[in-house]
Amino acid sequence: FKDVESFLERCEAFMLNRETENNLILGLAVAMVKKSREVNAPLFLAVIENDKIVGAGVRTDEDRPFSITKMKDHHVNSLCCKIKDLDIRLAGVVGEEESSEIFSNVYSSIYSVDTRLSIFQGVYELHKVIEPSSRGSELVLATDSEIKTVQDFLEGFLRDCFPNHKNVQDEAEAMAKRHINNKTLYLLRTSDAQFVSMAANNRNTKNSACVSLVYTPNKFRGNGYGSLVTAMVSKKMLDNGKAFCNLFTDLTNPTSNSIYQKIGYELVGKSKHFEFKEICSE
C-alpha cells in the first residue's frame, strides 16, 4: 500500500480480530494517520488470499523492526518473497512468537543475515482493574513543568530495558517531549509530593489502550508503586471509554509479569522481536 490510510481501510478489520496481539501494528498506523508520530521510511504490506486479508505488516523507519500479524507459514513465505522483490532491507521483525520466528528464518536465508532474539514478551489484556490501595498517592499528567523528571525516568527505563541502547540521553529527551506534547505520560506522586513512578498510554486502537513505559527508580522500588501507577493509568483509560487495556512485558522478568496479573491483566499471547545484522565479508 502507498499510504497508511489505504492500508487501514483494507486491513483494519482483519487486525481488530486480534486487537491486543496486533496492538503495535494498529497503534503505529493510527499514530501515523493522526501524525502524532514522525516516520521516515514507512512500509505497509498485506498478504491477500482469495480476496481476503490473511496477514499484514508495518514498518515506520529503516532502523525499526517490521511488525507483523500472526499468519500461516506459507503466508510468511509470501511476505518475505515480496520484500525480496521490492529489494527492501529490514532491521528486524516483531510479532506473534511463531510467525516472527518463521519470518526471521526465511528472511535470513534470503539475505544471509545474522538474527538475534532481542525481546521475548508476554502480551497481556485487562478488562477490569483490581485496584491496589493508593495510600494517598495521586496520578499526575506530565507537563513541561515535569520534563526533567520525565527525562530522568525515561533514561532509567531505557538503560534498564535496553542496556546496549545507544544515545540514551538523546532518545529519552525526544521521548519526553513527544509524550508531554501528546499528553500520554503519567507520573505517580506520593502524599509527600515525591514523583516515584511513571507509566504511559503509548498506543490507542479502536477499542483498547496500551499501557507502557512502566518504570520506578531503584530508590523507590519495593513499595508497590509500579503496580499502582499501572493500575491507575489502566483505570483512567477504561474510564475514558476504552473497552480494555493491554501491555507487553519481558517474559524473563517474573516480577513484572506477576504484578500485572495481580491488578487484573491476563496473558493472551507471546511476541518475539528478532534483530537482523548484515554479515560482513572480508
Side-chain angles (χ1 to χ4, degrees):
F1 296 90
K2 292 182 179 180
D3 54 59
V4 66
E5 289 83 5
S6 58
F7 171 78
L8 275 178
E9 181 180 357
R10 187 70 192 274
C11 301
E12 186 176 30
F14 163 77
M15 293 187 291
L16 286 173
N17 287 326
R18 306 174 75 101
E19 190 167 349
T20 285
E21 189 176 277
N22 294 325
N23 173 270
L24 179 57
I25 306 175
L26 284 163
L28 290 173
V30 169
M32 283 186 266
V33 169
K34 294 181 176 179
K35 301 191 185 320
S36 61
R37 184 185 182 97
E38 293 184 6
V39 295
N40 297 312
L43 176 65
F44 312 102
L45 291 173
V47 183
I48 302 172
E49 185 175 73
N50 298 324
D51 203 38
K52 288 180 61 179
I53 302 294
V54 293
V58 164
R59 181 189 71 177
T60 56
D61 301 280
E62 290 182 348
D63 63 343
R64 304 303 298 163
F66 186 51
S67 180
I68 64 171
T69 66
K70 179 180 176 63
M71 63 188 87
K72 294 181 178 179
D73 297 2
H74 64 283
H75 295 147
V76 174
N77 276 282
S78 297
L79 189 57
C80 286
C81 288
K82 181 64 175 179
I83 287 171
K84 180 184 179 183
D85 291 344
L86 294 171
D87 194 27
I88 292 172
R89 298 298 179 105
L90 302 173
V93 66
V94 61
E96 187 271 337
E97 57 175 336
E98 293 181 2
S99 295
S100 61
E101 188 160 352
I102 293 168
F103 186 103
S104 176
N105 292 334
V106 175
Y107 182 90
S108 65
S109 67
I110 290 175
Y111 280 115
S112 298
V113 298
D114 283 332
T115 66
R116 182 181 75 89
L117 177 61
S118 172
I119 309 173
F120 186 23
Q121 292 184 308
V123 182
Y124 287 85
E125 185 172 291
L126 171 146
H127 290 259
K128 184 177 180 180
V129 180
I130 301 171
E131 297 182 57
S133 171
S134 68
R135 292 170 291 173
S137 299
E138 62 177 337
L139 193 67
V140 177
L141 178 66
T143 65
D144 286 334
S145 300
E146 293 81 39
I147 191 165
K148 179 63 169 62
T149 298
V150 172
Q151 287 180 198
D152 289 345
F153 281 20
L154 285 169
E155 188 173 330
F157 174 87
L158 291 171
R159 293 191 188 281
D160 278 6
C161 298
F162 309 101
N164 297 320
H165 192 84
K166 298 179 180 178
N167 304 318
V168 168
Q169 288 183 319
D170 291 342
E171 179 73 7
E173 182 178 351
M175 290 173 68
K177 290 179 179 177
R178 182 173 72 248
H179 279 287
I180 288 174
N181 182 60
N182 293 336
K183 297 181 172 58
T184 50
L185 192 140
Y186 297 85
L187 296 168
L188 183 68
R189 184 166 60 195
T190 59
S191 57
D192 59 354
Q194 289 192 92
F195 289 119
V196 295
S197 194
M198 75 170 181
N201 166 216
N202 202 25
R203 293 181 297 272
N204 286 317
T205 56
K206 186 176 182 179
N207 303 296
S208 73
C210 183
V211 179
S212 64
L213 300 178
V214 179
Y215 175 76
T216 302
N218 286 331
K219 62 182 178 179
F220 298 125
R221 292 178 185 175
N223 296 294
Y225 295 138
S227 299
L228 181 56
V229 73
T230 304
M232 284 182 160
V233 172
S234 300
K235 186 175 186 304
K236 189 173 187 64
M237 297 303 105
L238 296 179
D239 290 346
N240 286 345
K242 291 299 183 182
F244 55 95
C245 296
N246 40 52
L247 58 77
F248 295 68
T249 186
D250 187 351
L251 282 171
T252 64
N253 186 336
T255 301
S256 62
N257 285 270
S258 173
I259 67 171
Y260 296 139
Q261 292 178 63
K262 288 178 181 177
I263 61 174
Y265 278 92
E266 297 181 357
L267 184 69
V268 297
K270 296 178 181 179
S271 170
K272 288 183 176 179
H273 175 187
F274 292 90
E275 293 180 346
F276 301 151
K277 184 178 180 181
E278 299 287 341
I279 300 174
C280 299
S281 57
E282 295 182 359

